Amino acid sequence: MRAIDEHTITEAALDQMASTPDPRLKEIMAALTRHLHNFAREVDLTPEEWLDGIKFLTAVGQKCTAYRQEFILLSDTLGLSSLVNALHDRRATEAGTKSSLVGPFYRQDSPVLKLGDTIVTKPTNGQEVCLYGRVFNAAGKGVPNATVQVWQPDETGNYDLQKHDPSEMDLRGTFRTDADGRFYLRTIAPLGYMIPMDGPVGDMIRAQKRHGYRPAHIHFIIGAPGYREVVTALYLQGDEHIDSDTVFGVTASLVTGVNSKDPSSPIPNLPTIKFDFQLPAAAAYGSGRVGADPSQIVKKVAS
Ligand code: BEZ
Ligand code: FE
């Protein structure tokens, strides 16, 4: 009989799980168990501390509703969502624009608009801009008819889901690139905002003396047949939190700015935000949409 102590417990747990028929589940659970045990040994975890941890995780679960995914927020604020995105990008078979968090405010079925249309549907004090760029592939060729989904907060840092009746959409739209892979639209410059802080994740952020802000950004999901979907966001240079995003979505290659004099703007006399997106070829790997999709949950609740 094996003597169970603080070291042999790990092998004992792994031996019992060895019967798992699904090889990937077996691999994931074995690694998780090993790392959890090492963590407990490293910090010499006490029963009181682990009970506090269980209380925290219970509160995270209890905060989840049809509109709120506190576990994803926890994953985001621990940097795990961004790490999973980076691993996803590494599996791409061709170079492409880096992934960034989809976040909790994405909705499927945003209004289908024409190039040059505005995504602003409510009165606003925001600075109007032309958002434009090109979708291209690894050969440098424009990708025509690519779907460009865009969504963003307003000039006060709020998404439509935080302001209006959830059935009313604002500051989001779906566009198709033209024959050269170009897209252009009117919108307003977004403001950065604080992640939802009224739950246990907010308590954690405060306990760690973190500010809780995300820098100003605009989200995109871009896809076309034969290409891997790119789920990403653009971040605005000059935002005071550009180097300290609470959810680690910012990476240097996704930072752009508002250009007040852009002679190449497809909509003259407007400041511009410009970005070109590279789509890697499609391959046999899963989605990069690490995040909640409240639109689907809203539908379920309504029906
Ligand atoms: C967002 O970009 O909207 C977001 C992402 C992660 C956590 C909270 C908000
Ligand atoms: Fe966001």
Side-chain angles (χ1 to χ4, degrees):
M1 159 134 201
R2 186 184 341 230
I4 297 281
D5 63 21
E6 76 271 26
H7 297 291
T8 59
I9 181 74
T10 304
E11 271 319 300
L14 295 180
D15 283 353
Q16 226 181 79
M17 295 172 193
S19 54
T20 309
D22 180 327
R24 182 65 176 154
L25 178 65
K26 183 174 165 183
E27 181 187 1
I28 289 173
M29 289 307 298
L32 180 65
T33 305
R34 263 196 319 271
H35 285 280
L36 279 175
H37 286 202
N38 284 338
F39 149 74
R41 278 186 286 261
E42 181 184 325
V43 300
D44 197 11
L45 196 65
T46 68
E48 293 77 16
E49 287 164 343
W50 183 220
L51 269 182
D52 281 348
I54 286 173
K55 271 189 213 150
F56 172 74
L57 291 173
T58 304
V60 170
Q62 286 169 340
K63 193 71 189 170
C64 292
T65 69
Y67 298 96
R68 174 81 177 256
Q69 233 306 347
E70 194 77 355
F71 269 111
I72 291 181
L73 197 59
L74 179 59
S75 159
D76 294 344
T77 51
L78 294 179
L80 186 58
S81 303
S82 276
L83 169 58
V84 171
N85 278 341
L87 295 171
H88 175 71
D89 285 348
R90 213 188 50 187
R91 283 190 287 272
T93 51
E94 283 181 349
T97 300
K98 280 195 186 308
S99 297
S100 191
L101 302 168
V102 70
F105 302 113
Y106 170 66
R107 303 171 75 173
Q108 282 185 357
D109 310 322
S110 66
V112 176
L113 300 171
K114 291 192 312 300
L115 293 175
D117 282 352
T118 184
I119 59 171
V120 182
T121 66
K122 306 279 174 202
T124 175
N125 295 318
Q127 177 194 21
E128 194 179 18
V129 296
C130 167
L131 173 61
Y132 79 104
R134 190 167 160 260
V135 178
F136 66 102
N137 65 17
K141 277 195 63 183
V143 179
N145 214 26
T147 305
V148 178
Q149 296 182 67
V150 53
W151 72 102
Q152 63 166 87
D154 66 11
E155 78 285 3
T156 67
N158 285 294
Y159 287 85
D160 55 3
L161 280 167
Q162 297 169 291
K163 291 186 295 182
H164 312 294
D165 173 336
S167 65
E168 289 179 30
M169 296 213 196
D170 185 27
L171 290 172
R172 54 182 85 228
T174 301
F175 296 82
R176 292 278 184 170
T177 54
D178 69 13
D180 298 319
R182 295 180 198 286
F183 67 91
Y184 49 98
L185 58 114
R186 289 169 185 263
T187 183
I188 51 170
L191 191 71
Y193 56 86
M194 213 177 229
I195 63 161
M197 293 284 278
D198 58 336
V201 172
D203 293 340
M204 178 190 81
I205 295 290
R206 278 184 289 273
Q208 296 171 330
K209 300 275 182 248
R210 294 161 69 183
H211 54 61
Y213 277 93
R214 297 216 68 203
H217 60 275
I218 302 177
H219 294 272
F220 290 84
I221 295 182
I222 300 182
Y227 293 95
R228 188 187 82 148
E229 185 176 78
V230 167
V231 181
T232 193
L234 303 183
Y235 295 90
L236 294 189
Q237 190 74 65
D239 188 295
E240 64 176 305
H241 302 115
I242 197 79
D243 280 322
S244 58
D245 183 3
T246 304
V247 295
F248 311 98
V250 184
T251 185
S253 64
L254 297 177
V255 176
T256 182
V258 179
N259 184 348
S260 54
K261 281 198 185 69
D262 180 354
S264 312
S265 173
I267 305 176
N269 304 321
L270 273 188
T272 59
I273 298 175
K274 174 179 186 287
F275 200 85
D276 295 335
F277 296 89
Q278 181 167 352
L279 296 188
Y285 40 67
S287 163
R289 298 186 186 191
V290 182
D293 181 354
S295 64
Q296 296 311 300
I297 301 164
V298 172
K299 266 190 200 152
K300 227 172 169 178
V301 169
S303 61

